[in-house]
């Protein structure tokens, strides 16, 4: 099974049929390991040092699913530029921002590598904070972006710190980024956030979905789909986690202490659309209420069935 499937485009519903409640989808994007994905994407050496990067297979899947050839894909915090590379390879234009000089150099190198390999679309990366998207210099982007695809980025120490202020600072900064990006989307555009699992000092997973969804709502966006992008390989019906030695040792320690901890096997993906547009679509279909987070809740493994190259509940 490939970790770069081509998701089907939505088909028109038969007359009289209502649009179903968005289902949680599971993306088979972990068939290749993280380093193999970076090599397959033709990324320049050093890209693998960006531990917060969106895996190339996840970026490729999201770009194919939520944008069209010729669209502009924006990553307001692009790191080493895996999103930009995959956008160019998929026939999209790409724009990234990063305030970190090392990431800017790597992202620029990856754009050059993609073009050298035959990508014909334009790609750019700017040495700038995401707030640059909210200035008059970015006025030409308003209403022209088909997809904003980004990750929740932070230094590792933020997530190990016991002080709540550090965690709040990361989310507050990300909320401002969502606010800057909302006006950029054109009709039908999507904003996709990829988050990798984080743990509190006690080993419990951090709830990132709730604050991100709240920040997106405040920015004028509506949650339309909630997905899991596998980082584990699929062997028939069995998942094979691709965890680091440190993660495995930490899980062994907590298990020995009587606090069972499982190895993570996915990144969470939240897909948002323009709130006003989603409301109009709901009204047109006769459904006045938007799906709640509970309506797209996480199913159990036994509830998953494969359909059209994606795994849905």
């Amino acid at each position: 099974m490939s970790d770069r499937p081509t998701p089907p485009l939505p088909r028109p519903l038969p007359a009289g049929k209502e649009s179903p409640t968005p289902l949680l989808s599971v993306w088979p994007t972990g068939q290749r390991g993280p380093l193999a994905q970076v090599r397959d994407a033709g990324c320049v050496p050093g890209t693998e040092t960006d531990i917060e990067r969106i895996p190339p297979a996840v970026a490729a899947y999201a770009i194919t699913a939520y944008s069209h050839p010729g669209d502009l894909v924006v990553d307001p915090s692009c790191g080493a530029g895996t999103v930009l590379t995959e956008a160019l390879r998929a026939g999209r234009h790409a724009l990234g921002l990063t305030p970190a000089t090392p990431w800017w150099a790597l992202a620029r190198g990856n754009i050059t590598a993609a073009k050298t390999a035959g990508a014909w679309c334009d790609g750019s990366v700017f040495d700038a904070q995401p707030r640059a998207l909210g200035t008059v210099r970015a006025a030409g982007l308003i209403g022209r972006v088909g997809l904003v695809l980004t990750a929740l980025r932070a230094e590792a120490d933020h997530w190990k710190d016991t002080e709540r202020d550090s965690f709040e600072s990361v989310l507050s900064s990300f909320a401002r980024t969502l606010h800057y990006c909302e006006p950029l989307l054109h009709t039908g555009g999507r904003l996709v956030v990829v988050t990798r699992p984080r743990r509190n000092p006690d080993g419990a997973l951090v709830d990132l979905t709730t604050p991100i969804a709240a920040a997106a709502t405040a920015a004028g966006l509506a949650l339309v789909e909630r997905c899991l992008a596998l980082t584990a390989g699929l062997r028939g019906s069995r998942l094979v986690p691709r965890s680091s030695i440190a993660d495995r040792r930490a899980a062994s320690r907590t298990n020995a202490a009587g606090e069972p901890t499982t190895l993570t096997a996915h990144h969470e993906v939240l897909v948002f659309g323009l709130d006003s547009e989603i409301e109009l679509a709901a009204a047109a279909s006769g459904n006045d209420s938007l799906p709640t987070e509970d309506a797209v809740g996480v199913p159990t493994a036994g509830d998953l069935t494969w359909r059209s190259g994606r795994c849905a509940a």
Side-chain angles (χ1 to χ4, degrees):
M1 178 184 295
S2 170
D3 60 3
R4 291 173 179 270
T6 302
L9 293 177
R11 297 181 179 178
L13 293 173
K17 293 286 186 179
E18 293 185 359
S19 177
T21 300
L23 298 174
L24 181 142
S25 295
V26 178
W27 302 354
T29 49
Q31 293 303 96
R32 299 276 283 167
L35 295 181
Q37 288 186 33
V38 170
R39 291 194 300 267
D40 292 346
C43 293
V44 299
T47 301
E48 70 282 355
T49 63
D50 180 11
I51 61 172
E52 301 279 10
R53 67 184 182 276
I54 296 179
V58 175
Y61 198 102
I63 289 165
T64 303
Y66 302 109
S67 68
H68 299 279
D71 274 349
L72 173 59
V73 176
V74 172
D75 186 347
S77 184
C78 69
T82 51
V83 168
L84 310 183
T85 297
E86 293 303 325
L88 293 175
R89 295 179 70 195
R92 278 70 164 169
H93 303 286
L95 173 65
L97 290 83
T98 177
T101 300
W103 294 150
W104 177 86
L106 283 170
R108 185 176 177 86
N110 281 324
I111 288 175
T112 301
K115 291 183 176 180
T116 302
W120 60 269
C121 289
D122 291 330
S124 301
V125 57
F126 295 109
D127 183 3
Q129 295 276 359
R131 62 172 175 265
L133 295 173
T135 66
V136 68
R137 295 176 59 188
L141 294 177
I142 294 176
R144 296 183 58 191
V145 175
L147 173 65
V148 175
L149 174 58
T150 195
L152 179 63
R153 286 180 167 271
E155 297 298 328
D157 289 344
H158 281 299
W159 304 100
K160 295 179 181 178
D161 201 322
T162 57
E163 294 295 330
R164 183 68 182 175
D165 289 345
S166 295
F167 178 72
E168 294 293 346
S169 175
V170 172
L171 291 173
S172 176
S173 177
F174 192 72
R176 289 192 294 272
T177 297
L178 297 180
H179 178 76
Y180 301 141
C181 290
E182 187 271 345
L184 308 183
L185 295 177
H186 64 49
T187 301
R190 291 290 183 261
L191 187 148
V192 178
V193 180
V194 178
T195 64
R196 64 184 182 91
R198 318 272 185 170
R199 293 190 183 276
N200 287 311
D202 62 1
L205 289 172
V206 178
D207 175 19
L208 297 174
T209 300
T210 300
I212 290 176
T217 299
L221 299 162
L223 180 66
V224 296
E225 193 173 0
R226 182 178 176 184
C227 309
L228 299 181
L230 292 182
T231 55
L234 280 170
R235 302 293 184 271
S237 61
R238 185 169 62 94
L239 286 177
V240 182
R242 302 182 185 279
S243 303
S244 66
I245 294 177
D247 288 338
R248 293 177 183 274
R249 287 175 176 171
S252 297
R253 287 194 297 269
T254 56
N255 289 338
E259 300 178 358
T261 300
T262 59
L263 295 172
T264 57
H266 69 276
H267 289 354
E268 185 158 11
V269 184
L270 302 178
V271 183
F272 300 96
L274 294 172
D275 185 50
S276 56
E277 182 182 320
I278 303 302
E279 287 182 352
L280 288 174
S285 66
N287 180 12
D288 294 332
S289 61
L290 294 174
T292 63
E293 183 177 324
D294 292 337
V296 292
V298 179
T300 63
D303 296 330
L304 299 179
T305 56
W306 290 100
R307 183 176 64 205
S308 301
R310 301 178 74 176
C311 185

